[in-house]
C-alpha cells in the first residue's frame, strides 16, 4: 500500500469513528426501571431497585418520559412517542389471519425487563391501555415450551434451551404486544403475542424453530398456522423434534 492509499484509509477510518461518536451522542444509552414510566441518566437515585439499559430513541418510542430529577438527555428530534390513548389490539377481533399481517403500530409498546422461562417474561409498559398495568407478567399465546423441571432429561434440556433462546432474544428489548380472546389466564398473567421491532411474531418463531409446541388447548387466532409451523419443525427435526438428541 502506498502512502496515499494509507492516508485515504486513515481518513476513512477517522470519518467512520467520527460518525460512530456522533451516533452515540445522538442516541445514548439511558436507563429505565421495571415499574416506572421515566427514563434516567446513570446514577439517578430512582435506579436503585432496577436499572435497565436502553437506547434513548427506543425509550422515547416506547413511551418513557425524561426523569425530572436526574435531567437525562431530551427526546431526539424525529423520535415518535406512541399516542396517548392506546387501545388493546385484539387480533381475533381485528380479523388478522396470518401472524405477519398484524400491525405493530396498533400494539401496546413494552420493554422486556425480566425473563422467566421460554414462554413467560415480565414487561414494563410506560403507557398501558385500560385494563393493563405498568408492570406485567406475560404468557405467550399459543405456545408451550418444555418445562425446565421435567424429570425426562431430553425434555429438561430443551426447556433450558428454549428458556435461553427467549432470554437472548427478548431481555431488555422493545416489544409490541397484541392480544386475543382472553386478556389474562387464571394466574392473572397477560396473554399476548410478542412482536419484535421488525414485525415478526416471536410466538411463531418459537414454534417454527422447534423450541415450543403449538399449545392448542384453548382457541386462539393463529391455531391452524401454529399447528402448521409445528409440523414443519417436526419434519425438519428442529429443536425438541430432533430425535438424535
Ligand atoms: Zn432519574
Amino acid at each position: 500500500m502506498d502512502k496515499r492509499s494509507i492516508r485515504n484509509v486513515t481518513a476513512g477510518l477517522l470519518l467512520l469513528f467520527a460518525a460512530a461518536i456522533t451516533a452515540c451522542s445522538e442516541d445514548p444509552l439511558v436507563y429505565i426501571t421495571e415499574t416506572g414510566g421515566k427514563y434516567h441518566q446513570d446514577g439517578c437515585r430512582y435506579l436503585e431497585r432496577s436499572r435497565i439499559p436502553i437506547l434513548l430513541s427506543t425509550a422515547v418510542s416506547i413511551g418513557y418520559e425524561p426523569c425530572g430529577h436526574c435531567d437525562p438527555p431530551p427526546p431526539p428530534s424525529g423520535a415518535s412517542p406512541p399516542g396517548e390513548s392506546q387501545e388493546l389490539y385484539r387480533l381475533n377481533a381485528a380479523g388478522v389471519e396470518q401472524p405477519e399481517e398484524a400491525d405493530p403500530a396498533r400494539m401496546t409498546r413494552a420493554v422486556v425487563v425480566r425473563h422467566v422461562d421460554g414462554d413467560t417474561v415480565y414487561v414494563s409498559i410506560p403507557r398501558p391501555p385500560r385494563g393493563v398495568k405498568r408492570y406485567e407478567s406475560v404468557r405467550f399465546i399459543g405456545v408451550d415450551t418444555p418445562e425446565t423441571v421435567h424429570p425426562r432429561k431430553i425434555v429438561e434440556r430443551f426447556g433450558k434451551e428454549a428458556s435461553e433462546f427467549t432470554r437472548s432474544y427478548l431481555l431488555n428489548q422493545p416489544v409490541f404486544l397484541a392480544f386475543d380472546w382472553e386478556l389474562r389466564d387464571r394466574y392473572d398473567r397477560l396473554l399476548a403475542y410478542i412482536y419484535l421491532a421488525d414485525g415478526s411474531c416471536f410466538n411463531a418463531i418459537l414454534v417454527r424453530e422447534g423450541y415450543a409446541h403449538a399449545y392448542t388447548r384453548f382457541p386462539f387466532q393463529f391455531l391452524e398456522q401454529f399447528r402448521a409451523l409445528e409440523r414443519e419443525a417436526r419434519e425438519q427435526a428442529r429443536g425438541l423434534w430432533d430425535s438424535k438428541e
Side-chain angles (χ1 to χ4, degrees):
M1 215 186 281
D2 62 21
K3 265 190 186 164
R4 192 170 152 190
S5 47
I6 288 175
R7 220 172 25 238
N8 284 345
V9 168
T10 312
L13 283 175
L14 278 175
L15 273 177
L16 271 180
F17 191 57
I21 287 180
T22 312
C24 286
S25 61
E26 276 173 3
D27 201 2
L29 274 184
V30 292
Y31 298 86
I32 58 167
T33 64
E34 287 182 344
T35 53
K38 310 277 176 151
Y39 66 86
H40 307 266
Q41 296 231 47
D42 201 6
C44 179
R45 65 186 162 96
Y46 291 110
L47 295 173
E48 269 169 18
R49 287 195 181 162
S50 56
R51 174 181 171 280
I52 296 130
I54 185 171
L55 286 173
L56 172 61
S57 61
T58 305
V60 171
S61 73
I62 297 294
Y64 295 96
E65 292 180 349
C67 169
H69 173 76
C70 62
D71 197 23
S77 57
S80 55
E84 286 300 326
S85 62
Q86 292 187 60
E87 284 177 20
L88 293 176
Y89 181 38
R90 292 182 185 259
L91 300 189
N92 61 310
V96 177
E97 298 291 335
Q98 298 289 336
E100 58 273 16
E101 287 169 6
D103 179 10
R106 294 177 61 187
M107 297 180 193
T108 296
R109 303 180 190 197
V111 174
V112 174
V113 292
R114 189 175 288 217
H115 163 255
V116 178
D117 61 21
D119 53 35
T120 310
V121 295
Y122 280 86
V123 297
S124 160
I125 307 170
R127 296 191 193 180
R130 187 198 295 263
V132 174
K133 299 186 290 285
R134 265 205 182 144
Y135 181 62
E136 292 273 8
S137 167
V138 177
R139 173 68 167 79
F140 308 167
I141 293 171
V143 305
D144 197 23
T145 57
E147 294 294 325
T148 45
V149 291
H150 200 281
R152 273 176 58 210
K153 246 189 171 172
I154 295 168
V155 173
E156 184 183 339
R157 196 168 68 70
F158 262 97
K160 280 178 186 159
E161 286 192 5
S163 180
E164 176 54 28
F165 183 75
T166 293
R167 193 195 64 78
S168 65
Y169 244 92
L170 297 184
L171 189 61
N172 294 0
Q173 296 302 311
V175 291
F176 301 79
L177 306 179
F179 306 95
D180 208 318
W181 298 94
E182 297 291 341
L183 184 60
R184 293 181 186 277
D185 68 6
R186 60 196 169 112
Y187 305 109
D188 204 35
R189 298 178 297 193
L190 276 185
L191 292 168
Y193 298 100
I194 305 271
Y195 277 79
L196 307 175
D198 68 1
S200 56
C201 177
F202 189 70
N203 311 43
I205 292 174
L206 281 172
V207 180
R208 193 189 66 212
E209 299 303 320
Y211 288 105
H213 299 256
Y215 186 56
T216 56
R217 192 167 149 204
F218 302 104
F220 62 101
Q221 187 66 3
F222 301 140
L223 192 144
E224 289 309 321
Q225 289 84 344
F226 280 23
R227 269 196 182 136
L229 288 173
E230 181 183 301
R231 260 198 314 274
E232 181 192 320
R234 217 187 268 262
E235 281 162 13
Q236 304 285 327
R238 291 189 195 130
L240 59 91
W241 308 114
D242 185 351
S243 54
K244 293 192 299 295
E245 294 286 342

